[in-house]
Amino acid sequence: MSSNERTPDHARRAVLTPAHLNRAGLCIGCGACVAQAGESTARMHTDRFGQLKPLTSGERNGSSAFAEICPFSPSSANEDAIAAERFASSKYLDPRIGRYEACYVGHVREGIFRAEGSSGGMATWTAVELLAKRLVDGVAHVVPSSGDQPFFRYQISRKAEDVRRGAKSRYHPVELSGIVEEVRRQPGRYAVVGIPCFVKAVHLLRRRDPVLQERLAFMLGLFCGHMKSARFVESFAWQMGERIDAVTGVDYRLKDENRPANWYTAHLEMRDGSSRSRDWWHLVDGDWGAGFFQNSACISAMTWSPKRPIFPSATPGWSPMRRTVAAPMSSLSDRRSFTG
């Protein structure tokens, strides 16, 4: 994620708006600013590039509160500061991956979690275990939308079967504001599944809101290469000879038990009931490293920490390290790259 280095009084003086971050190309579209705005008119919208961006009165009126909760703000606490607050008792502190308890390589053997997931099934299994052991009352994670665009959204699931329906990687813009508001309205303990900058945004929201601090108990971090825009799946559809408005569902990584998990196949469900599939290496934007349709904020993020865990971390098949890192709520990444 971003590296936020501050002078001692910088945060006190900073007055930033979502518009400032957007113009600088540093808005990732997480929705944290909308979640903290406290106004009925604040919302997220999709811009002409297919990225989610905020619409709030803060576009005109600066706020030190916004400066402290945006994960890419130069005035927000960086990962080292958050880790020192939350995980000071961690057993290990490594300059490459931050604070942690233990590192493991593996996949889920129980049931069909691995088959249902894009990779090893670790994130979904952990979320289901948290519910089964009554450590949380709900899990905030990304699930397919019901049959129309946008194709994915954040949802709080309170049953194991609902969590399992959210398995697999989603390379599509989503945002957190709706589930943050639900957590505020509904007492309980919650886990949040997200990419590193989203998890950082949740930590920053917790620092300012005692209700969220009490209720957001676990963070399940996903390794991340970069955030894609909605144009990514649109490009897939065009290359398969279809218009995006004819698509009702997308599986970015259709699994085949006879092929390695990192042989990606894009699969589209069509409005007429048919489907289309094509291997990523036959798609012009199938090379992830080329960065097609990448959110501009990710350029800053990848400079410092492209792929690091919070707790636990599930590594998708493309990661050169193919590493799963797990620790009992006491690991947080720092700002430097582990896999670079």
Side-chain angles (χ1 to χ4, degrees), residues 93-203:
L93 173 59
D94 186 278
R96 295 164 296 177
I97 62 174
R99 298 171 185 265
Y100 68 99
E101 290 291 326
C103 295
Y104 303 94
V105 176
H107 61 83
V108 180
R109 297 180 62 185
E110 177 184 330
I112 57 173
F113 282 97
R114 189 183 189 189
E116 290 177 336
S118 290
S119 198
M122 286 295 299
T124 303
W125 177 83
T126 304
V128 168
E129 284 293 296
L130 289 174
L131 280 175
K133 297 182 183 302
R134 299 185 178 181
L135 294 172
V136 297
D137 302 293
V139 176
H141 63 135
V142 177
V143 299
S145 298
S146 53
D148 213 339
Q149 300 181 44
F151 295 111
F152 302 99
R153 62 185 175 85
Y154 258 98
Q155 168 185 291
I156 294 182
S157 294
R158 301 174 186 276
K159 297 179 181 179
E161 55 267 31
D162 293 333
V163 172
R164 295 179 72 153
R165 278 195 284 270
K168 308 202 83 169
S169 297
R170 320 293 191 186
Y171 307 125
H172 199 276
V174 291
E175 56 93 9
L176 294 160
S177 63
I179 60 101
V180 171
E181 287 307 309
E182 185 173 343
V183 169
R184 285 185 176 127
R185 291 194 307 268
Q186 184 68 42
R189 286 167 58 84
Y190 297 89
V192 179
V193 182
I195 58 177
C197 55
F198 277 44
V199 171
K200 180 182 178 184
V202 172
H203 279 295

